[in-house]
Amino acid sequence: MPDWSYHGIFKPLLFKLPPTISREFIHKGMNSIASLPFGIGPRIINFLGREESSILIRQEIHGIDFPNPVGLSGKIDPLLSGTRAFTNLGFGFIEIGPISMEMTEKFTSPIVDQANQKISFPPKIESIGIEETVKKIRKLKKKQPIFFRLSGNYHEVVYMLKKLDSYADGFILEANFKETIKQTNKPLFLVTSLVNEEIIDSPFSGLLLEHSFEEGSLVEKIKSLRKMGYHGTIIASGGIYEPEQALQALDSGANLIMLTDGYIFAGPGLPKRINEALVDRSSIRPSPQAGWFAYWLFGLSILIGGIIAFILSITTIILPYDEIFLNMKRQTIWAFNDRIMLFMAHDRMTLAGTMISGGVVYMQLAKHGVKWGLKWAKQAIDIAAIIGFLGIFAFIGFGYFDWLHLLFWLILLPFYLYGLYKTRGIRGTPASKNRRNDRIYKRGIYGQLAFVLLGFSFVLGGVIISFIGVTSIFVSTDLAYICMPKEMLQEFNENLLPVLAHDRAGFGSALLSVGLLVLTMSLWGVQQGNRWVWLTYLIGGLPAFYAGLYIHFAIGYTTFIHLLPAYIAFVLFLIGLILTYSFFRKQY
């Protein structure tokens, strides 16, 4: 669940429910998505949240490979109802537990203090017991290291160690049973919230240092441990609500960090934000990626094609090969019913504006994303381009194959294929200047939600318009504007309907393709400080909205219900631009 949906939709509702009910509701829902067959679930989660980690922040500790240093505390999911989902949310490791021998039958609910952003977890642990834990872990597809946190007396802990050893990368113990070290060759970590000499001399592989509101700053504790000469691994748990606090903990000497209540209040996007901040701090900068210019030329060709189509839509409207197919001159159509020509101009100008906007976005993604090795930018281009190429088949839904469109795609294809081949090894992940949960960040989240809704609306609109184009061709307001039923148009010229269907399906296909560009950029490309993304929205959006709204008023097709989707989309566009302006432009 990305932050734009968590803060913008779910969090206000979830915080009104009892903590355990809201927790299980959201965890089970996420788990259901993650469990969809054929790998569909993880792909959906990745599409919505884009959680891969950069190789720049990968590290090895105790022989364990951590994709990144950000983990999730088991206190967030004590019943393991969402563990399958959490493995797909970009964490570098996951804690499971505390685990007890038997299932906990009675426990107090966590207490959520929204004012102070604090969760008081129950003193008596929630646990499904060791046997049920093993059953669930057996079904888990492991994607990152897993640490098991064990609670109980010495004999219980030893039993659980042996039971879980084959699934574990490490263990976290709540009690100082030094003898347990001999029971496993996996690293053992001792839970503590105190800093003293006994801890310094601990024989364990490391410490899980827990944050406590009553016992002072976690960062100061980490510093104290290092000053006192502690050389073991430190996992800092809790007290991290924003990327800056995570960076401070790591800079102070923590090797790993583990999110607890901060994950609930800041949102599920917190690990991604921390990872992007770590990449941003890296001294390694990518080199220009070969093949990006082919993608840029691909976008430029679409832009030029859109400009040509725009000029034609305000001049001749239809081309000589249209007249050949119709076996009729444009003057005859003007004389029969001028609104037929105006309606064609309406479809063709909106297509032209959409093409110009799409060309701009393609070029921006190529220059600022693909050039610098960003995998998400390449995949955004690939998804939209492939759908655009396939859209040519929608043109023949009513039997009119446009050879000019085919020629246009044949010109575009070499640029795209060359770019696709040369950039096939791209693996880069984004960086972000975001460090704080300040007002600018929160406004940016709601702006991102507006852009995501805009992208979804374009995609949905493209699908609907394409479907209409290859089936009924018109909606009721279209026929009301033309002032003729389909039968009369068919009787006037039997080839007219295929041409109109071609225009409608072509525009729908283009809108779908550009909608995917907007959607993927909104889902994957919103990182603080990326000014080029905001400019891409602005410069890329204006041609489509100008052409789409201008032509309707120019030809007098101003039916409110027909233009309502365009009005809503334009409002979302303005909201997104306003709310994300400072977010994209502010540098920390």
Side-chain angles (χ1 to χ4, degrees):
M1 183 189 299
D3 279 350
W4 56 265
S5 63
Y6 180 72
H7 289 287
I9 302 172
F10 293 105
K11 184 179 177 182
L13 302 174
L14 294 173
F15 272 56
K16 295 184 186 310
L17 299 173
T20 51
I21 293 177
S22 62
R23 181 192 70 196
E24 294 307 306
F25 170 77
I26 201 68
H27 286 184
K28 289 178 180 178
M30 292 165 60
N31 227 41
S32 297
I33 295 174
S35 302
L36 291 174
F38 310 113
I40 296 174
R43 286 187 176 89
I44 291 175
I45 293 173
N46 183 63
F47 180 79
L48 294 176
R50 201 78 205 203
E51 304 291 352
E52 67 262 55
S53 296
S54 170
I55 193 172
L56 298 176
I57 58 176
R58 186 179 298 272
Q59 56 184 299
E60 184 178 314
I61 302 174
H62 302 296
I64 304 170
D65 183 28
F66 292 88
N68 63 70
V70 185
L72 179 68
S73 170
K75 293 179 180 180
I76 300 299
D77 187 27
L79 305 185
L80 306 188
S81 53
T83 304
R84 187 170 295 182
F86 289 129
T87 60
N88 294 284
L89 296 184
F91 289 104
F93 66 101
I94 291 178
E95 179 193 53
I96 291 178
I99 305 168
S100 60
M101 282 290 291
E102 303 295 335
M103 178 183 292
T104 309
E105 304 216 354
K106 292 184 180 179
F107 52 85
T108 56
S109 176
I111 299 173
V112 178
D113 182 352
Q114 294 190 48
N116 296 308
Q117 294 198 334
K118 175 183 176 183
I119 298 178
S120 299
F121 294 98
K124 184 177 181 181
I125 66 169
E126 291 182 74
S127 173
I128 59 176
I130 182 63
E131 301 301 330
E132 191 63 27
T133 298
V134 171
K135 289 180 183 178
K136 286 183 175 284
I137 294 303
R138 282 175 180 164
K139 300 177 183 178
L140 186 65
K141 186 177 181 180
K142 187 175 176 183
K143 295 185 177 181
Q144 60 271 96
I146 294 178
F147 291 171
F148 292 96
R149 181 164 174 165
L150 308 180
S151 178
N153 61 41
Y154 173 73
H155 295 290
E156 291 173 337
V157 168
V158 169
Y159 176 83
M160 290 188 285
L161 275 171
K162 294 178 179 179
K163 196 81 172 175
L164 295 167
D165 194 67
S166 60
Y167 308 104
D169 292 280
F171 292 97
I172 298 169
L173 306 186
E174 294 193 334
N176 190 356
F177 301 126
K178 296 180 182 179
E179 300 86 350
T180 55
I181 295 174
K182 302 176 183 178
Q183 305 295 329
T184 179
N185 59 358
K186 305 290 174 62
L188 290 174
F189 299 85
L190 180 64
V191 176
T192 183
S193 60
L194 302 173
V195 176
N196 52 44
E197 291 295 336
E198 182 182 355
I199 295 299
I200 298 300
D201 297 329
S202 167
F204 292 91
S205 303
L207 301 174
L208 190 149
L209 188 60
E210 289 194 310
H211 169 73
S212 171
F213 283 92
E214 295 78 19
E215 295 174 0
S217 165
L218 184 65
V219 169
E220 291 304 319
K221 290 181 183 180
I222 297 170
K223 289 180 179 179
S224 296
L225 276 172
R226 293 307 186 194
K227 285 180 182 179
M228 294 168 68
Y230 184 73
H231 299 293
T233 300
I234 297 177
I235 304 175
S237 178
I240 296 172
Y241 294 80
E242 53 189 11
E244 182 62 29
Q245 293 171 327
L247 298 182
Q248 289 175 1
L250 293 169
D251 290 343
S252 299
N255 303 95
L256 303 167
I257 57 176
M258 190 182 294
L259 305 181
T260 55
D261 39 5
Y263 179 77
I264 303 300
F265 291 103
L270 182 57
K272 179 180 179 181
R273 292 167 58 202
I274 295 171
N275 291 336
E276 290 174 349
L278 288 169
V279 175
D280 181 63
R281 290 204 319 176
S282 171
S283 59
I284 301 175
R285 290 293 177 262
S287 301
Q289 169 70 48
W292 74 270
F293 193 60
Y295 275 153
W296 189 86
L297 291 175
F298 175 77
L300 178 64
S301 301
I302 293 175
L303 173 64
I304 294 172
I307 293 173
I308 294 172
F310 183 85
I311 294 171
L312 293 173
S313 70
I314 59 176
T315 54
T316 63
I317 302 179
I318 62 175
L319 296 172
Y321 68 83
D322 292 320
E323 293 179 328
I324 292 173
F325 180 77
L326 292 169
N327 195 26
M328 183 179 289
K329 294 292 184 180
R330 65 178 66 88
Q331 292 82 359
T332 304
I333 304 176
W334 278 111
F336 175 70
N337 185 341
D338 60 346
R339 290 206 168 189
I340 296 175
M341 291 293 291
L342 294 175
F343 183 78
M344 294 176 72
H346 141 274
D347 267 355
R348 296 191 174 195
M349 183 176 286
T350 49
L351 169 63
T354 303
M355 289 176 63
I356 295 171
S357 290
V360 170
V361 179
Y362 277 123
M363 293 166 70
Q364 286 285 91
L365 288 173
K367 181 178 180 180
H368 298 282
V370 177
K371 182 178 180 179
W372 303 110
L374 291 179
K375 184 178 179 180
W376 75 261
K378 169 184 167 53
Q379 290 185 337
I381 290 176
D382 290 342
I383 291 170
I386 291 170
I387 293 297
F389 280 119
L390 293 176
I392 196 170
F393 295 105
F395 298 165
I396 58 176
F398 263 78
Y400 180 41
F401 188 81
D402 187 339
W403 291 101
L404 185 61
H405 276 106
L406 176 61
L407 178 62
F408 181 55
W409 286 133
L410 290 176
I411 294 172
L412 291 176
L413 191 60
F415 293 123
Y416 173 69
L417 291 179
Y418 184 78
L420 178 68
Y421 176 76
K422 295 295 288 187
T423 60
R424 64 192 185 281
I426 278 185
R427 291 293 182 270
T429 61
S432 175
K433 300 294 182 184
N434 176 252
R435 301 291 188 269
R436 300 286 186 183
N437 300 338
D438 55 14
R439 185 176 64 177
I440 288 175
Y441 161 72
K442 293 175 181 176
R443 289 180 63 188
I445 287 299
Y446 288 103
Q448 183 184 11
L449 174 61
F451 281 132
V452 169
L453 292 176
L454 178 65
F456 270 119
S457 67
F458 281 165
V459 170
L460 180 62
V463 171
I464 292 173
I465 292 170
S466 296
F467 179 77
I468 291 172
V470 298
T471 54
S472 61
I473 305 177
F474 305 104
V475 293
S476 58
T477 55
D478 294 335
L479 295 174
Y481 172 77
I482 296 173
C483 299
M484 281 186 179
K486 285 174 61 176
E487 293 75 15
M488 186 176 292
L489 296 172
Q490 179 75 18
E491 184 177 345
F492 169 66
N493 188 318
E494 62 180 9
N495 288 335
L496 182 60
L497 290 183
V499 173
L500 294 171
H502 150 272
D503 290 351
R504 182 57 52 89
F507 168 56
S509 173
L511 184 61
L512 172 58
S513 181
V514 172
L516 287 169
L517 284 176
V518 175
L519 178 59
T520 51
M521 186 168 68
S522 302
L523 291 173
W524 305 338
V526 178
Q527 287 85 37
Q528 188 160 354
N530 284 351
R531 298 183 180 185
W532 70 269
V533 176
W534 190 87
L535 288 173
T536 302
Y537 282 122
L538 175 64
I539 300 172
L542 289 177
F545 281 112
Y546 172 78
L549 292 174
Y550 162 77
I551 189 61
H552 282 88
F553 286 93
I555 69 172
Y557 189 2
T558 57
T559 308
F560 177 75
I561 193 65
H562 178 73
L563 285 174
L564 181 58
Y567 293 148
I568 294 173
F570 188 63
V571 169
L572 289 172
F573 175 67
L574 292 179
I575 291 173
L577 288 175
I578 293 169
L579 293 182
T580 60
Y581 178 79
S582 297
F583 177 80
F584 280 123
R585 298 187 67 83
K586 183 173 181 180
Q587 304 280 335
Y588 276 94

